[in-house]
Every structure is written in structure tokens, then in C-alpha cells.
Amino acid sequence: MKNIAIDGPAGAGKSTAAKIVAKKLGILYLDTGAMYRAIGLKALKLGINTRDIPAVEAMLPTTSVEIKYVDDVQNIFLDGENVTGLIREHAVSMAASDVSAIPAVRLKLVELQREIAKKNDCILDGRDIGTYVLPDANYKFFITATAEERANRRFKELMEKGQNVSYDEVLTDIVTRDRNDSTRAFAPLKKADDAFEFDTTTMSIDQVVEELLNRIK
Ligand code: DC
């Protein structure tokens, strides 16, 4: 199977570009962040503190996360409920980052990610795909952009969805998540030694897609 790994911090343009690349190559796109968001959402729903490791761990045996593709679009199911829209709420971002630092959460989700990657040609985006989930991926990318530009992009997305959040809140969230995600002990956000890195701050999505496709060919 052919696997392409795209890692990088929130808002670097990974998911938008990966979706287009997947379509052009006729392969699957797997958004691994959605899985961490689903677990974060469940903790929020249950009123569990997302930094309380034993409480989050205790919730895992009775938590199911499934991915289903509807017309080539990834849908995510939490305990049988389609939560694809709910996981994009602003509050869920930080909850996802918190629970993603817990090794038991990662082990559960990484198993599912590897299973999907084994069965399908696919492009996966996340934080640890090239370093931990699929160290033997055929192509590895690490994409970045300044925190301000990433916050701009996220802010625009959230505004389009009608969410009530300020630019400053989004920037604080991005900076805090960068720190959380890159300093956790287990499988942190990190460039794989053999990944190709580029900065998308001044690039359009079309240019990011072109850069990826040029290297994949
Ligand atoms: O890509 P995203 O913003 O939807 O991810 C939400 C959080 O999930 C992110 O802050 C860190 C975590 N995550 C992770 O730890 N590993 C991944 N492969 C994907 C996401």
C-alpha cells in the first residue's frame, strides 16, 4: 500500500491540501486529528477534566471511534453517533490536544490509523504520522507557517461556520496547542528526519498542493 504522511502544527494547511491531493491521486484521505477530537468531545460531554489522566483512561474501554466514508468524505462516529460536525467546535480543539498527550488514548487511535493505512492507499495528516504511526511511509512531509498566519486561517474558517470566537482566542489556542503537542512525552509533534519540510505562510493552497504533488511524482 502507498502511504503519504503530512505532519505539522494546527492551521499549516495540511488538511485542505491533503484532501485535494487525495482526490487528484484517487486515494483515501485520513484526518487523524478528528479521532483525537472525538475522544476530547466525549470527555467534554461527560464533564471529565481532559487533563485528568485516570478519568480519561477509565472512559476508553467504553468508547468507540469509527471512521466511515460517505461519498469519499470522512465521517467520524463516536459511540455510534455521527459527530463529524460537532468535533469542529472551537472548545473541542484544546480538549483534543489535552487527551492526545495521554499514551493510552494514542495507542487506541494509532491502532485504528495503522489498520486503515494497511488496507488502503492513503494520505494521512496529523502530528506523528511520519515519526510514529507510519515510519515507513512512502512520502513524508512536514508543513509549517507562522502562528499568526495559522491563526488567521483558523479564524476565517470558524467565522464562516458562524462560531463566536475572537482572533486573539484563536491565536492563544494555536500557540498553547503547539506547545502542548510538541512537548508531550509520547509521540510529540516533530519533523521526521526523512520528511521534506516547507513553510506555507506565503503560499496559496494551490501552491501547497502543487509542491506536494511535484514531490510525490
Ligand atoms: O489536526 P487537529 O487540529 O484536528 O488536531 C487536534 C489535536 O489532536 C491536536 O492539537 C493534537 C492532536 N493530534 C495528535 O496528537 N496527533 C495526531 N496525529 C493528530 C492530532
Side-chain angles (χ1 to χ4, degrees):
M1 283 298 154
K2 189 168 284 177
N3 294 144
I4 302 166
I6 305 191
D7 291 304
K14 303 185 298 290
S15 66
T16 313
K19 262 183 226 163
I20 301 172
V21 169
K23 206 165 197 168
K24 286 195 189 261
L25 297 179
I27 63 176
L28 211 65
Y29 162 59
L30 180 63
D31 166 10
T32 64
M35 298 180 180
Y36 294 94
R37 286 173 177 269
I39 301 277
L41 175 67
K42 173 139 179 185
L44 291 179
K45 276 184 166 181
L46 293 177
I48 289 174
N49 175 347
T50 48
R51 288 177 173 260
D52 181 342
I53 299 174
V56 173
E57 280 177 349
M59 172 188 103
L60 293 179
T62 52
T63 300
S64 92
V65 173
E66 289 166 288
I67 299 284
K68 290 180 191 162
Y69 288 86
V70 182
D71 296 331
D72 285 342
V73 175
Q74 174 178 315
N75 277 245
I76 185 149
F77 290 75
L78 172 65
D79 299 332
E81 183 197 348
N82 190 338
V83 293
T84 310
L86 292 179
I87 57 164
R88 296 292 151 203
E89 298 267 327
H90 179 63
V92 180
S93 304
M94 195 57 75
S97 180
D98 283 346
V99 299
S100 76
I102 302 174
V105 170
R106 303 200 71 79
L107 291 174
K108 181 178 173 103
L109 300 181
V110 166
E111 196 181 317
L112 184 57
Q113 292 158 20
R114 287 184 177 150
E115 210 176 288
I116 296 171
K118 205 168 151 187
K119 289 189 195 144
N120 303 279
D121 285 334
C122 63
I123 179 161
L124 298 87
D125 87 45
R127 305 291 187 284
D128 62 335
I129 309 301
T131 52
Y132 183 76
V133 181
L134 301 171
D136 297 327
N138 306 73
Y139 301 97
K140 296 184 186 180
F141 298 95
F142 191 82
I143 68 178
T144 59
T146 61
E148 289 73 17
E149 174 58 19
R150 291 185 287 120
N152 261 329
R153 295 173 185 171
R154 270 292 145 96
F155 179 63
K156 271 191 205 151
E157 264 174 39
L158 292 167
M159 287 299 101
E160 278 162 18
K161 286 182 186 155
Q163 293 202 27
N164 187 19
V165 59
S166 70
Y167 170 81
D168 285 345
E169 279 174 89
V170 177
L171 179 61
T172 305
D173 171 284
I174 291 258
V175 171
T176 311
R177 281 207 287 148
D178 283 357
R179 193 175 51 236
N180 269 359
D181 297 345
S182 53
T183 58
R184 67 174 176 241
F186 185 39
L189 163 65
K190 189 171 165 257
K191 177 190 167 302
D193 292 338
D194 53 352
F196 175 75
E197 178 171 0
F198 62 99
D199 186 314
T200 69
T201 305
T202 59
M203 290 171 87
S204 67
I205 280 297
D206 286 348
Q207 289 172 320
V208 176
V209 168
E210 201 181 313
E211 181 72 50
L212 294 169
L213 286 173
N214 280 342
R215 304 235 158 223
I216 292 165
K217 276 178 210 150

